């Protein structure tokens, strides 16, 4: 792991085509600007972790709460009300 110290408005370059600029620094946060090609995915780690947890939960209960099941139940309910 490389650890760098940067100040406001200073940048660093990753490879040939990714540029990270420090825009603002607060007490317990930093605002970054990341300039990268569209094909490079940039995601916050907590979102990746949440997505992984959701996938684990879905795979451990593959039939519970699926959208198609909910639609089927709603259609069945509507049909029983109409008859």
């Amino acid at each position: 792991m490389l650890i760098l110290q940067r100040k406001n408005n200073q940048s660093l370059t990753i490879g040939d085509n990714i540029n990270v600029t420090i825009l603002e620094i607060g007490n317990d946060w930093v605002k970054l600007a990341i300039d990268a090609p569209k094909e490079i995915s940039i995601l916050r780690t907590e979102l990746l972790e949440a997505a992984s947890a959701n996938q684990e939960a879905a795979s451990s209960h593959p039939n519970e709460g699926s959208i198609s099941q909910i639609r089927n139940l709603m259609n069945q309910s509507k049909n029983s009300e109409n008859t």
Side-chain angles (χ1 to χ4, degrees), residues 42-51:
I42 302 170
L43 296 171
R44 297 186 334 233
T45 304
E46 64 271 18
L47 295 180
L48 289 173
E49 291 168 352

Side-chain angles (χ1 to χ4, degrees), residues 46-79:
E46 64 271 18
L47 295 180
L48 289 173
E49 291 168 352
S52 177
N54 286 339
Q55 287 176 345
E56 279 184 38
S59 65
S60 65
H61 304 290
N63 294 324
E64 291 182 25
S66 71
I67 293 175
S68 61
Q69 273 190 315
I70 294 170
R71 283 187 185 135
N72 288 338
L73 289 171
M74 290 175 68
N75 287 336
Q76 288 173 1
S77 175
K78 285 180 185 178
N79 290 339

Side-chain angles (χ1 to χ4, degrees), residues 18-36:
I18 301 172
N19 191 28
V20 180
T21 303
I22 308 301
L23 294 182
E24 193 175 343
I25 300 170
N27 289 334
D28 60 346
W29 55 270
V30 62
K31 187 183 288 188
L32 303 173
I34 303 170
D35 184 20

